[in-house]
Amino acid sequence: MLTGFGLICLLIAAVAAWLAHVTRAEARASRQWPTTQGVITRCDVTVRELDSSNEHKLEVAYTYTVDGATHDGDRVGPGGSPTFSTAELARPAAQKYATGTTVTVWYDPQEPATSLLDPNEEGPYAARAGIAIVVGALGLLAILLDLSGCVPG
């Protein structure tokens, strides 16, 4: 019985590890992308209520031009937009990307419509990697306990 649970945990861990890898790979690649100037057209901090706390997400929109074509973007970093546990922690980022601010935009030279504002902001990379490690370890433990016969079942 624990083997099935363990396999599900390993599957979840594999997905979380893959998402962490994709985020980290894009972060590394985007540091080499060309840059252009852009302008912030919207910056908001949205609040989502969780069970025991709130999540404050920075949401930005910006425009930029590459080779005469105007593009719109909404990603701060490779992992998307950062989230904060309190409004006080979100405030400096919101001030940095205030509406009307001129910003540096990194864009993918192969697909100029793909862009971000901070290639060093990896967003949920650490959380995804942590989930992969913890859930993967739990899955392995469940499988090993089941196979060893230590758990009656």
Side-chain angles (χ1 to χ4, degrees):
M1 178 157 163
L2 283 178
T3 299
F5 172 76
L7 292 173
I8 291 170
C9 286
L10 289 177
L11 178 63
I12 292 168
V15 170
W18 178 79
L19 289 171
H21 169 73
V22 167
T23 301
R24 180 69 131 213
E26 185 180 23
R28 287 188 179 133
S30 66
R31 291 181 189 121
Q32 307 304 314
W33 289 353
T35 61
T36 188
Q37 294 299 297
V39 176
I40 301 293
T41 57
R42 181 180 57 82
C43 179
D44 297 309
V45 176
T46 59
V47 180
R48 188 175 87 173
E49 293 183 24
L50 304 174
D51 290 338
S52 60
S53 65
N54 291 331
E55 175 184 82
H56 299 76
K57 183 175 183 178
L58 180 68
E59 294 186 1
V60 299
Y62 52 91
T63 61
Y64 61 100
T65 303
V66 176
D67 296 329
T70 300
H71 301 280
D72 297 312
D74 62 3
R75 294 191 318 154
V76 173
S81 294
T83 58
F84 305 89
S85 57
T86 67
E88 292 77 27
L89 292 173
R91 192 168 294 120
Q95 290 171 343
K96 178 179 179 180
Y97 298 117
T99 300
T101 302
T102 298
V103 292
T104 299
V105 178
W106 279 258
Y107 65 91
D108 184 341
Q110 304 302 316
E111 182 61 47
T114 300
S115 64
L116 48 85
L117 299 177
D118 185 355
N120 295 311
E121 171 59 56
E122 295 184 17
Y125 165 76
R128 291 172 178 166
I131 289 169
I133 292 168
V134 171
V135 175
L138 181 63
L140 285 175
L141 179 64
I143 291 169
L144 291 173
L145 284 173
D146 200 25
L147 294 177
S148 70
C150 291
V151 178

